[in-house]
Amino acid sequence: MKNRKLLMIPGPIEFTPEVLGAMGLPTTSHVAPNFINVCGEALELMRQVFLSPTGQPFIMAGSGTLAMDMAAANLIEEGDGVLVVNTGYFSDRFAKIAQRYGAKVTEVRASVVGDVPSADDVEKALKSGSFKIMTLTHVDTSTAVCVDIKKLAHIARSYGVLSVVDGVCSVAGEELRQDEWGVDIALTASQKAIGVPPGLALVMASPKAMEAFRNRTSPVRNFYADWNEWLPIMKAYEERRPSYFGTPAVNLVWALNVSLKQIGEEGMEKRVARHKRISRAFKDAMRALGLKQVPLSDEKSATTLSGVYYPDGTDSSLLKHIGDAGVIVAGGLHPQIKDKYFRVGHMGAVNGSDILSTIGAIETALVKSNYKFDKGRGLQAAAAILE
Ligand SMILES: *Cc1c(COP(=O)(O)O)cnc(C)c1O
């Protein structure tokens, strides 16, 4: 018997047995020839996942927040203008990080939770100030809202502003074509759609972002994240040479190599299509059960996770009932609606039976909470999409 519950939160996610197997390999030296090769390959494979043949990849020991910190530390100098396209909790975090490095931060927000700022509002904000960087949260994990990166990155570039995309909940799940869309930095963490246990911060920087970094006139105000230290290390691994600045997370890099190869075998288009299909199955199921979602429309919804309001007469005790039925989902995160909704992550290696199990557990929990609905309606709606 598998004595564990299905983990359906927006990271960490369920990992493949091959990835978990790599975590258990004997740890080598960080300059062992086989590790140098594995890390060099992982850097090369990152370009395929980010669809960024011209990008400079960085693999660091740390969480997604370090990836955000690294982007800010290396690009921002005292007094630089940063426009934060704010869609929730993690956009707030980017604003705080930018301020820490001395940026003058302006925010453009949607008026209600679940909405995204319009392209017009973003353009107006860009016009009305002087900005070096615009940050975007591709999928805001607190609201399950997704912004149109293609459109907004294009607008940023037309104003000569660097676009920095927090893709922690999107890279390797949502469609993101870094080079084609002119995204200057895309970043993520290992434990989300890229499918590796927590502990790696992953950053891809465009040639324009690297140029802005080289043009700095003041030192990088973060010792650990300084690209002056890490760029030679990343280059050395790609050239299969030994090097050292800080010890890499050897086993995690090994696991990353395995996961990136699995992603490559599936192919990015198929992977994005699978995320869309699973997301649609889940969202249709919630609608069929009469449950409302946080994003205001399907076009503004992520495919890597869903945010669902507790139906009338129920509350966060639903989470415990879902857990008792064998599936772990996450509570609310956005401060304004924290106790009113729950979140379900469906990214990475997720498949149709995972999503059906999750919907089944939610139906079971709804019955326990005395919510009135036609039992099986959610499962039927999802099955219609998955077949
Ligand atoms: C999870 C997440 C983060 C933070 O990542 P950590 O690994 O928890 O530091 C940042 N941004 C988004 C969009 C996320 O989903």
Side-chain angles (χ1 to χ4, degrees):
M1 188 181 118
K2 275 211 291 181
N3 189 21
R4 66 184 302 271
K5 298 185 185 221
L6 184 63
L7 188 59
M8 296 294 284
I9 65 171
I13 62 165
E14 292 274 332
F15 305 116
T16 67
E18 295 77 17
V19 165
L20 292 175
M23 294 296 294
L25 293 173
T27 304
T28 63
S29 157
H30 56 287
V31 290
N34 56 350
F35 177 72
I36 292 177
N37 195 47
V38 159
C39 188
E41 264 182 18
L43 289 161
E44 288 157 9
L45 291 166
M46 267 176 72
R47 291 197 186 86
Q48 296 175 21
V49 171
F50 286 69
L51 299 174
S52 182
T54 67
Q56 173 60 53
F58 294 89
I59 301 174
M60 309 267 300
S63 82
T65 305
L66 175 71
M68 299 164 79
D69 204 14
M70 182 181 237
N74 285 284
L75 292 182
I76 296 171
E77 292 186 82
E78 192 72 35
D80 281 341
V82 173
L83 181 66
V84 172
V85 178
N86 195 320
T87 42
Y89 182 91
F90 287 108
S91 314
D92 288 343
R93 178 170 294 186
F94 231 149
K96 277 191 201 155
I97 295 172
Q99 267 155 358
R100 188 65 65 90
Y101 291 106
K104 285 195 211 122
V105 173
T106 306
E107 297 188 58
V108 50
R109 284 174 188 271
S111 48
V112 288
V113 175
D115 203 358
V116 298
S118 72
D120 281 350
D121 288 347
V122 171
E123 184 153 10
K124 251 185 240 152
L126 282 170
K127 237 185 233 165
S128 65
S130 162
F131 299 104
K132 178 174 179 183
I133 291 165
M134 179 168 99
T135 73
L136 302 141
T137 311
H138 192 175
V139 168
D140 197 285
T141 321
S142 70
T143 52
V145 150
C146 185
V147 303
D148 187 340
I149 296 295
K150 185 180 181 183
K151 195 185 261 172
L152 298 181
H154 182 78
I155 296 174
R157 194 154 273 195
S158 71
Y159 284 83
V161 173
L162 297 169
S163 55
V164 174
V165 173
D166 171 354
V168 180
C169 205
S170 78
V171 170
E174 302 284 344
E175 183 176 30
L176 177 62
R177 301 176 169 275
Q178 183 166 358
D179 277 21
E180 198 182 308
W181 294 357
V183 169
D184 291 299
I185 300 242
L187 57 89
T188 190
S190 51
Q191 77 274 19
K192 305 222 180 160
I194 221 150
V196 178
L200 291 179
L202 306 172
V203 176
M204 186 70 73
S206 73
K208 275 200 164 73
M210 294 313 293
E211 187 190 323
F213 161 70
R214 280 193 302 273
N215 290 339
R216 292 179 67 95
T217 55
S218 59
V220 172
R221 294 285 176 204
N222 180 319
F223 185 78
Y224 180 63
D226 190 345
W227 281 345
N228 288 299
E229 305 290 357
W230 286 110
L231 186 59
I233 308 297
M234 298 302 136
K235 289 201 161 139
Y237 275 113
E238 282 207 68
E239 289 161 12
R240 307 300 193 265
R241 288 185 286 110
S243 63
Y244 168 75
F245 173 60
T247 307
V250 171
N251 288 61
L252 282 168
V253 174
W254 219 288
L256 176 67
N257 178 298
V258 172
S259 193
L260 291 171
K261 280 184 182 150
Q262 289 184 329
I263 294 170
E265 274 160 29
E266 181 175 21
M268 289 310 291
E269 278 182 25
K270 275 200 181 145
R271 192 172 175 90
V272 166
R274 173 168 57 81
H275 279 80
K276 279 191 184 154
R277 192 167 61 249
I278 299 238
S279 172
R280 174 135 184 251
F282 184 76
K283 288 171 170 67
D284 279 7
M286 293 304 105
R287 266 190 285 268
L289 296 174
L291 273 55
K292 285 204 199 77
Q293 292 171 52
V294 179
L296 295 193
S297 69
D298 277 346
E299 303 81 70
K300 295 170 184 175
S301 292
T303 64
T304 48
L305 88 151
S306 299
V308 184
Y309 287 109
Y310 299 121
D312 286 345
T314 70
D315 58 24
S316 60
S317 63
L318 201 67
L319 290 185
K320 189 186 169 297
H321 297 321
I322 299 171
D324 290 345
V327 179
I328 308 290
V329 300
L333 182 62
H334 195 290
Q336 278 178 39
I337 53 169
K338 202 172 184 315
D339 299 321
K340 297 190 173 141
Y341 76 115
F342 64 101
R343 297 171 302 143
V344 175
H346 31 73
M347 64 183 112
V350 64
N351 63 24
S353 56
D354 294 336
I355 213 69
L356 290 171
S357 303
T358 307
I359 296 162
I362 291 171
E363 290 203 11
T364 304
L366 288 170
V367 170
K368 271 199 195 157
S369 305
N370 299 315
Y371 173 70
K372 297 277 170 289
F373 68 105
D374 291 339
K375 200 157 186 311
R377 280 282 290 278
L379 287 166
Q380 262 173 22
I385 302 294
L386 293 171
E387 71 196 6

